[in-house]
Amino acid sequence: MEKFLAQEKVAIDEKLTEHITQLNAPKSLKDSMTYSLKAGGKRIRPILLLATLKGFGKDLNKGYDIACAIEMIHTYSLIHDDLPAMDDDDLRRGQPTNHKVFGEALAILAGDGLLTYSFTMVSQLQNVEDHIKIKLVQKISQAAGPKGMVAGQVADMEAEGRDLDLEELQEIHHRKTGDLLSLSLECGALLAEASQEDMHILTRFGKHLGLAFQIKDDLLDVEGDENVLGKRVGSDATNDKNTYPKILGVEKAKETLTYHLNEAHKLLAQVDMDQTLLRQLTNYIGERIN
Amino acid sequence: MEKFLAQEKVAIDEKLTEHITQLNAPKSLKDSMTYSLKAGGKRIRPILLLATLKGFGKDLNKGYDIACAIEMIHTYSLIHDDLPAMDDDDLRRGQPTNHKVFGEALAILAGDGLLTYSFTMVSQLQNVEDHIKIKLVQKISQAAGPKGMVAGQVADMEAEGRDLDLEELQEIHHRKTGDLLSLSLECGALLAEASQEDMHILTRFGKHLGLAFQIKDDLLDVEGDENVLGKRVGSDATNDKNTYPKILGVEKAKETLTYHLNEAHKLLAQVDMDQTLLRQLTNYIGERIN
C-alpha cells in the first residue's frame, strides 16, 4: 500500500498541474489555482477513487481525470474556507494561504475557477459513456453543493460559539468531509460499473470512513506530535471548536473511532471486489500520525 | 415580443424560487441564494434561451430548467463580483447587495451554492438525452470557468487604472458578458437539436449581441435617464472605468453599437428557424432605455 500511496500521489500531483498549465486563462489566475493545488496534502480523495477502481480490476488510467476533478473541488473548498470572511486562516500545511499570497479577489476567483473547471473535466472524460458522465456530474454537484459541502460549511459557521451534540456534529462532518470521501469511492465504483448493491455498500462504507477520518483529525489535534503534524496541536481547544474529544472526551472519542473503523471493515467485506487496498487505506486512516 | 418578455420573465422568476425552496439546505443559505435570485433584472439570458427554443418550434417546457441554471450562474457571478474584495458594491438594482444583507461569508457560500447547483440541475434535466446533457455541462462550465467568465473578471480587475485599447476591452467583454449570452443561445439550439451549422451561426450572432448589449450599457451610463435606469448615471466616468464611450467617444461608440446590431441581424437571417423573436430581442437590446 505504501508504494501505491507514494506512486499515485506523484501521478496525481503531476496531472493536477498539467491540467491547469494547458488552460488558456490569465497567468495570475493559473498561478493562484496551481499554488493551492500544489500545496498538496495526502490526496486521500484521489487515492480512494483509484484504489476503488483497482479493487474492481480496472485500469487506473480511467480514473485520473475524475480523481483530479474531485481534488480540485476539495482545493476550491479549502481556498474559500480560509478566506478572512470565513475561517480567516493565514497558514495551511505550514504555507501561507492562497489569499495571503494572491489577495482575496484572486483567491475567490481561483476557487470559482477550480470548481467550475472540475465540471469541464468530467464532461471531457475519455472512454466513459455519457450516462456515466451524467451520473458523475450529478453525484459530484450534489456532494459539493448546497445540500452537501456548502451546507456543511454554513452549519459549521452557524455552530460557532455554541455547544453541539454528537448528532449535530456528525451531520456537519457528513456534509463537510464525509460527502467528498464517499463521493470518491462512489465515482470509482461508477467508473468501474459496479453493481447497484456494491455501490450502495461502498457509500455506507464511505460514511464511516469519513467520520473515522474526522475523529482521527480531532484526536491528532489533542495528542499528535507537532513535528510530525507540521502544525500546532491544541488549536481546536484554543478556538473552542466543536470536536469529538470535546463532546465525548478523549477515551470515548477513541472508542467511537474504533467503532467506525470496524463498521467500515464489516461493510467492505461485503463488496464483490479485491478489498485489499481499501482495507489497508481504512487502517491507515485510523492509524495515521499526520 | 413584449408579451413574451413579460410572460416568460414571470415564469422564470417563479421557477427560480421554486428550485431553491425545495432544497434540503440550511435556511440562511437558501434565504441568501433566493434574495439575489429575486433581485431580478431583465432575465435576458433565460429569455434568449427560450426565444431560441421557440424559434426552432420546440416546447418551452424543455428549456425552463436549463434557463434557470444559466440565470443561477449569472446570479452567482454578480454576488461574488459585488464582494468587498472585488468591486465592493453596496447596491445592485437599487437593493443592498447580498453581502450587505447576509454578510460576506454567506454571500461567498450562496454564490458557491448557486454555481454548483446549476450543474445538478443540468444533470437532472427531464426528456433530454445524455449526450446533450453532457454537451450542456461542457458548454456551461467552459463559458463560466477559468477560460470564460472567471478569466474575464480577472482581466477586468487587472485592467483597473490602466487604459485599455478596443481589442482588450472587447476580449474582456466577450468573456464577462458575451460568453453567457452566447451560451444561452447555444443551449437553446442544443436542446432544439439544431444543426451544427445553425449552432455555429448562432454562436457568432451571440458574440455580436453580447458586445451590443455591453456598448448599450456603457452608453446608458453616459446618456440614460436616472429615473428609468434606477441607478446613478456617470458612475463609470467617476470610477475611471474602461468603457466604449471612453475609448471611442460617444458618437463612435454608437456607430459600433449599430455595426454589431447589423452584423447580428445579418447572421440571424442565415439561421434555419423562425427568427422573429430573436430579431425583436436584438432590436430591444439596442433600443432599451434601462
Side-chain angles (χ1 to χ4, degrees), chain A residues 35 39 82 89-98 100-101 230:
Chain A
Y35 176 80
D82 287 339
D89 279 318
D90 293 350
L91 290 174
R92 175 169 291 276
R93 299 192 193 103
Q95 304 289 319
T97 44
N98 195 295
K100 279 284 153 188
V101 179

Side-chain angles (χ1 to χ4, degrees), chain B:
Chain B
M1 183 200 67
E2 274 85 31
K3 194 181 146 213
F4 181 81
L5 268 178
Q7 192 170 306
E8 297 309 330
K9 185 181 175 311
V10 171
I12 290 289
D13 286 350
E14 272 174 20
K15 281 169 208 290
L16 279 169
T17 315
E18 273 169 30
H19 280 294
I20 304 305
T21 309
Q22 52 78 32
L23 277 182
N24 174 24
K27 185 177 177 302
S28 55
L29 179 65
K30 295 206 291 187
D31 287 348
S32 172
M33 291 163 81
T34 308
Y35 175 80
S36 288
L37 285 175
K38 277 191 172 169
K42 291 176 280 290
R43 308 291 189 207
I44 190 79
R45 292 155 195 82
I47 295 283
L48 284 173
L49 189 149
L50 295 172
T52 307
L53 210 50
K54 199 175 166 78
F56 283 111
K58 302 289 174 184
D59 184 356
L60 291 191
N61 285 314
K62 207 174 178 176
Y64 288 119
D65 280 0
I66 186 86
C68 285
I70 292 177
E71 190 68 7
M72 283 182 191
I73 290 184
H74 174 58
T75 305
Y76 124 77
S77 78
L78 300 181
I79 297 176
H80 280 193
D81 285 4
D82 286 339
L83 287 167
M86 312 272 270
D87 292 349
D88 195 15
D89 278 318
D90 293 351
L91 290 173
R92 177 170 288 276
R93 300 192 192 102
Q95 303 289 319
T97 44
N98 194 296
H99 64 271
K100 280 283 154 192
V101 179
F102 296 93
E104 272 182 68
L106 212 49
I108 295 169
L109 289 165
D112 294 344
L114 285 167
L115 170 60
T116 315
Y117 190 62
S118 69
F119 291 104
T120 303
M121 287 185 65
V122 180
S123 73
Q124 292 177 337
L125 288 175
Q126 302 290 316
N127 305 320
V128 177
E129 286 178 69
D130 286 339
H131 75 273
I132 294 181
K133 287 188 197 172
I134 280 298
K135 277 219 181 106
L136 290 168
V137 171
Q138 187 177 13
K139 277 190 188 293
I140 293 173
S141 63
Q142 284 179 338
K147 296 198 285 188
M149 206 169 63
V150 173
Q153 183 65 19
V154 172
D156 197 20
M157 254 167 43
E158 292 178 350
E160 250 168 53
R162 185 167 69 81
D163 284 342
L164 296 184
D165 62 29
L166 187 60
E167 203 180 328
E168 289 173 305
L169 185 66
Q170 289 210 164
E171 178 63 19
I172 289 175
H173 285 310
H174 264 317
R175 289 179 142 172
K176 270 194 75 169
T177 318
D179 274 7
L180 279 204
L181 289 184
S182 274
L183 175 73
S184 305
L185 299 159
E186 287 175 63
C187 288
L190 255 175
L191 284 175
E193 304 187 44
S195 70
Q196 280 294 324
E197 204 193 329
D198 283 344
M199 184 83 81
H200 187 65
I201 305 171
L202 278 173
T203 306
R204 290 167 59 208
F205 164 74
K207 292 216 186 291
H208 288 290
L209 201 65
L211 289 174
F213 186 86
Q214 188 59 50
I215 299 171
K216 185 69 190 182
D217 240 28
D218 289 354
L219 283 167
L220 283 171
D221 192 71
V222 177
E223 300 191 323
D225 180 333
E226 289 191 356
N227 295 321
V228 181
L229 277 173
K231 64 175 179 185
R232 285 274 175 83
V233 301
S235 68
D236 289 345
T238 311
N239 298 325
D240 199 27
K241 283 213 174 178
N242 283 291
T243 66
Y244 287 88
K246 187 187 164 196
I247 293 179
L248 298 174
V250 169
E251 284 318 305
K252 189 96 178 88
K254 284 183 184 173
E255 280 171 32
T256 311
L257 169 61
T258 306
Y259 164 77
H260 287 297
L261 291 172
N262 286 342
E263 290 300 304
H265 278 301
K266 272 191 250 170
L267 286 161
L268 187 58
Q270 299 170 34
V271 185
D272 185 16
M273 70 190 298
D274 179 347
Q275 304 146 1
T276 320
L277 258 177
L278 284 181
R279 186 171 304 288
Q280 290 168 331
L281 284 167
T282 304
N283 290 333
Y284 164 76
I285 281 176
E287 291 158 11
R288 68 203 167 93
I289 52 171
N290 67 7

Side-chain angles (χ1 to χ4, degrees), chain A residues 203-271:
Chain A
T203 306
R204 289 168 60 209
F205 164 76
K207 292 217 184 293
H208 287 291
L209 202 66
L211 289 174
F213 185 86
Q214 188 58 50
I215 298 173
K216 185 68 191 183
D217 241 28
D218 289 354
L219 284 167
L220 283 170
D221 191 70
V222 177
E223 297 190 324
D225 180 333
E226 290 192 354
N227 296 321
V228 182
L229 278 173
K231 66 175 179 184
R232 286 276 172 83
V233 301
S235 69
D236 288 346
T238 311
N239 298 326
D240 199 28
K241 282 213 174 177
N242 282 292
T243 66
Y244 287 88
K246 187 188 165 197
I247 293 180
L248 299 173
V250 169
E251 283 319 305
K252 189 94 178 88
K254 285 183 182 173
E255 279 171 34
T256 311
L257 170 60
T258 306
Y259 165 78
H260 286 297
L261 291 172
N262 286 342
E263 290 298 305
H265 278 300
K266 270 191 249 172
L267 286 160
L268 187 58
Q270 299 170 34
V271 185

